[in-house]
Structure formats: structure tokens, C-alpha cells
Amino acid sequence: MNAPAETRKFEAEVAQVLHLVTHSLYSHKEIFLRELISNASDACDKLRFESIAHPELLTGDGELHIDVSWDEVARTVTVRDNGIGMSRDEVVANIGTIASSGTRRFLEAMSGEQKADARLIGQFGVGFYSAFVVADKVTVVTRRADLPEGEGVKWESDGKGEYSLEPVDAPQRGTSVTLHLKADEDEFLKGWQLKSLIRKYSDHVAFPIRTPVEKDGQPTDEFESTNAASALWTKPKNEISDEDYIGFYKSLGHDFNDPLAWTHNRVEGSQSFTTLLYLPSQPPFDLMMGGRDERKGLKLYIKRVFIMDAAEELLPNYLRFVRGVVDADDLPLNVSREILQQNRNLERIKSACVKRVLDLIEKLARDEPEKFATFYKAFGNTLKEGVAEDGANRGRIAKLLRFASTGGQGSAQTVSLDDYIGRMAVGQDTIWYITADSYAAAAGSPQLEAFKAKGIEVLLMSDRIDEWMIGSLSEYEGKKLKSVAKGEVPLDEADKQKQEEATKAAEPLLTKLKELLGDRVGEVKVSARLTDSPSCLALSDYEMAPHLARLLREAGHDLPDAKPTLEVNPAHALVQRVTAEGDEAKAKDLSLLLLEQAEIAAGAQLPDPAAFVQRMNRLLLG
């Protein structure tokens, strides 16, 4: 029995989306057509896939297509497909509610300074609601392909908080979306305008997008194909222009910007497949706001049959910003995701995709430095994940990394590991670096002082991922990477002798500091790192940097309390005051100040900031 007609309220988040869409989007209003055609294309893809196992779903209408028509008298535009269609429950789930957490981020983004940025539409699965930018009422009639004609569903809403649902007879499977245009949207009632938009945004949709043939300026009942309706990636490269590649990217990735670069390859042999992979020019929103678990943009086809979007099995997480298509000839069509993950042929395709992407990035770095700088600014931190995750390509990825440096130009991340090696002094066998939670903290660290004095370049790493990444990059091109804050500083024989003499002379001071600081420190030593500052922290080779430990604790992780090693500069006046101070309370304040300023410089969290302020005030007041 058909469910009765009813009126329902939109879920709260849908109401918010509709409000923002109808009141905040002023540019790119034509985006609605691209989004509705994209949804229709997805519906056709899904039916083609399901028909592999159930060919009867195509009975009576085997050619999948999308029709766009208009009626100037009724002031309507209709987008109809003969794809998979929806059941009543699917209509409620797909239009009446929004379960995606990405939509919440969409709402946050749209509520900020980007209110008029229509690029956000489509990237969070809310493209259908863009219809309300130009329409004051939308009517949807749909029937799922595996349901009888009497189980069609009609959905209708004016976008103001409610929608109606009622059962209808639907002789044709699929979905039609009819937009009742607002009074000032006459431009979308012109056939030439709609056809122009189809060619602009949807020319490379792989299904025919048909529009009525016009006679004497009026649409007829006869339809003709308006788009190219070909799988661009199947064409020979010499038949595809840059404009074609760019247009396909924009229709594929819901992006108004041109791609930064692309690579198109056909592999023939025992296993044949085609790849068309793009580097975006800026981070896609699912990368910026969704992170590693919400991926989209890399589509898997098998013999031009769409299998899945967001194909994680084709590229590792650290290349999740890549957009494009992979079309294989010889993967089994009835595979599930679990079987795909274990399929050897798929692993070979994945390896080929990784190689192509890294080749493309390397080509940018080598031949187009300005484009590479744009890429690295957008995706450098994401690429760094590959150092830890992709041991087979670790060296290639490391070669692409760029850092700020004491030998570079300010905070600009332009220095490669090869640049560093090319400037190393004769006999130097270590690439030195420091990690911190900001460029200023890294560049101003007292732990750099001895290295600067000796003219040794140090890489300045201040991105949050750097400390984690560098743990997997122990060497590069035969050179060890080592933190200036960890372990012992390398000394020549003359410096070693000076260090030993300084340590022996400072033994009473070191003993006094250790007694005054108690269990706040593990050890107190004379520093070989310092030339100007009074103190700094030193870590063991495997100890976590204090700024990273602070971030992890702030994120709720339990970490063991580590007792730092305090290194001091006996020649500094503040350290000498500790030696000369006869008042034990003042001496303790001074010693704690030495420790706490070293902790602050290293990015550690002070255990008692209020006590630090009181102590500082006491010392300033004498």
C-alpha cells in the first residue's frame, strides 16, 4: 500500500542550508544547473553499475541520458534522468535530512566571510539545494528502477521550512527535478543560455545531456544531444586540448579554479588501464575541513562503468588531494571494497598512480618553480605524511620537501634537502634541524647559538606535522638528520677540551642548581650549544619535543612526565648571579627562572604560570 500524502518540516540543518543558499549566494547563480546535472549523472552511473548484476533494470529504456527542458509560459526548467531513481525513504534521507558531518562544516564556512562564495556548493553534498537560488518552488518526481510504476514519489517545497510528500504513478524510472523560477530569473528560460551552461560546466559528463530541438524559437518534443558525452580520458592525448582537460577537471571536481597540472596515461599489456590525474591549485574543501577520513574526487571506472568515488584503494592518504579518473579494463566487476583492497591488480594500479603523481610534482619542482611553490603552499604538509606512511617512496617525497633555514630567506619554505647538502662544509656529515611551534620560536631558539657561531646551517621546522614526520626521516642521501636540541653537540678536539675544563670549573654551580631545582630536572650540564643565552633544554635522541608534548596533552593524550636536562652557560651574568647569591630563596628563584625560560623557549607548558609571574616580579623588584 502506498504511504499517504503528508507535509514534513525540514531537519534543522537543511533549513539552515536553504536559508544561506537563498539569502547569501549572489554570484554564480547558474551553479544550480551543474549540480542538478551532476546528481543526474550519478544516478545514471549507479543504475549502470547495478544493471551489471540485474540487467532487467534497464528493460524498455536501455540508453541512459539526461534531459534539460524549459517552458517559458509555465516559467519552469526541468532536469530529468532515467537513472536509478529513489524510493520514498531515500527521498526523505537524501533531500529532507542531512547526515553528513561535512555539511556542518559547510554551514560554518558559509556563515563566515565566504557567504557569497558559490564554490562551496557541491563540495558537501548539498548541491540539490542550489536550485533554490533561482527557484521559489521545486518539484521532484522519482521512482526507483526496481520498484513498480505505482510506487513513484512526488516531493515539493518552496524552501521555507516544509516539504510535501505524496505517492504518484511514475511510468518512467529515474528522477525529474522541476524548478519554478523566481520572477527575476528569466535568463534561464532561454534555450541558448541553458545549452551554453551545459557546454560550459557539463560537456564531459559521460552521458548524453539532451535539450529540445527549437523551431521558430520554440522548443519541440524532439531532443538532441548538447554535450560531448564522451569519456575524455579514453581519447588519444593528441586529440585533447588544454581547454578540454581544464573543462573536464572543473566538471569532475566542482572547482571554479583551473587545475595546477595534470597527467594522462594509458598502460597497455597484461593489465590495461587509463589514468587522468590532476593537481588542484588550492586545497579542496574535503581536504581542508574533512581531513583524512572524508575523501572524494578520484573516481574508479571499469570499462567505463563507474564503480566508486573517493577510491582510497587507488592512492594513499598523503595524496588525497589528487583529483581524477582511473579506468581499468580487467578488474572483476562484482568486487566489494574489501576484495578490492586485496586485489593484486589494484595494487599495481595504485603503484602506477603514485608514480605518476610524484612524477608530476617532480616535474613542477624542476621546470615550473612558481607553480611548485603554489602547490607546496597548498599541499606541502599533506605530502609530508608520506614520509612516515610510504617507505617505498620516502626518498622521492623527501626530495620534494622545502623548509625555512638559517641559510634561507626568512620564513619562506624554499630550502630543499639537496640545497642544504650542496652548502654543507667539508667534513660535515649531518643535516641539522630544529622543530618548534612557530617560525619565530625556531629562528630565535637559544639552541641554535653555537651552530650560528660556527656557520652551520640549520633547517627551521615549524609546522605541526614536522616533529612527527622527521621521526621517520633519519637520513637522506647518506646524511643523517639530527635535531640541534637532542643528544650531544659534535665538538672538535679543541672544543672538547674547553668543554671539559668549563664543566670542571662549574661543578659547584651545577651541584647547587641541581639541589635548588630538585626533581624538576633530570640533570644540569654546562652547554656546548649556548653562546649568548643563559640556559636551554636538551633532549635525548628519542625524547619528544616539548612543544609537541604540549599539543598532545592539550588534545587529551596522557603522556609520562619527563624530567628535562637543563644546560647552562656559566659565562652568562644571570647564571653567575646564582653562584654569587647567598640568599637561598633568591637563589632558588633565579635557578627556577633559568629552567622556566628554557622551557618557554622550547615550547613546553609551565606547570605553574602564576608562580612564574610572581617569581619574575620578585626578581625584577630586587
Side-chain angles (χ1 to χ4, degrees), residues 76-234:
T76 60
V77 172
T78 298
V79 178
R80 170 167 178 77
D81 67 75
N82 61 346
I84 191 65
M86 291 181 284
S87 67
R88 182 186 179 92
D89 289 344
E90 287 172 330
V91 169
V92 173
N94 293 335
I95 303 179
T97 61
I98 299 178
S100 168
S101 60
T103 305
R104 293 183 176 86
R105 288 188 293 276
F106 167 83
L107 290 170
E108 292 167 3
M110 289 293 289
S111 298
E113 296 179 357
Q114 304 180 51
K115 284 184 179 179
D117 193 349
R119 298 174 219 192
L120 291 165
I121 292 287
Q123 301 192 25
F124 291 89
V126 295
F128 170 80
Y129 304 110
S130 63
F132 288 98
V133 174
V134 296
D136 52 24
K137 184 171 71 172
V138 176
T139 304
V140 178
V141 176
T142 184
R143 174 174 66 84
R144 208 177 195 284
D146 55 3
L147 294 177
E149 292 184 8
E151 294 195 29
V153 182
K154 180 181 178 181
W155 178 101
E156 194 166 74
S157 177
D158 61 4
K160 295 179 181 177
E162 294 182 339
Y163 63 92
S164 64
L165 275 177
E166 63 178 292
V168 294
D169 287 331
Q172 296 176 305
R173 69 164 189 265
T175 302
S176 68
V177 181
T178 299
L179 284 63
H180 305 263
L181 297 184
K182 297 175 181 177
D184 56 349
E185 303 297 349
D186 290 357
E187 62 180 299
F188 300 115
L189 292 172
K190 307 297 183 185
W192 65 267
Q193 170 73 329
L194 294 172
K195 292 175 184 179
S196 174
L197 293 175
I198 290 169
R199 295 188 186 103
K200 177 180 179 181
Y201 289 118
S202 308
D203 201 42
H204 298 291
V205 169
F207 300 99
I209 303 173
R210 309 186 315 181
T211 54
V213 175
E214 293 184 84
K215 290 183 179 179
D216 300 324
Q218 297 297 318
T220 67
D221 293 335
E222 182 184 351
F223 281 79
E224 62 183 355
S225 184
T226 301
N227 66 324
S230 62
L232 181 86
W233 63 89
T234 63

Side-chain angles (χ1 to χ4, degrees), residues 225 238 310 334 342 399 411 415 424 489 617 620:
S225 184
N238 60 7
N334 60 345
Q342 300 169 15
K399 196 177 193 71
S411 61
V415 178
M424 286 172 64
V489 177
N617 290 340
L620 288 172

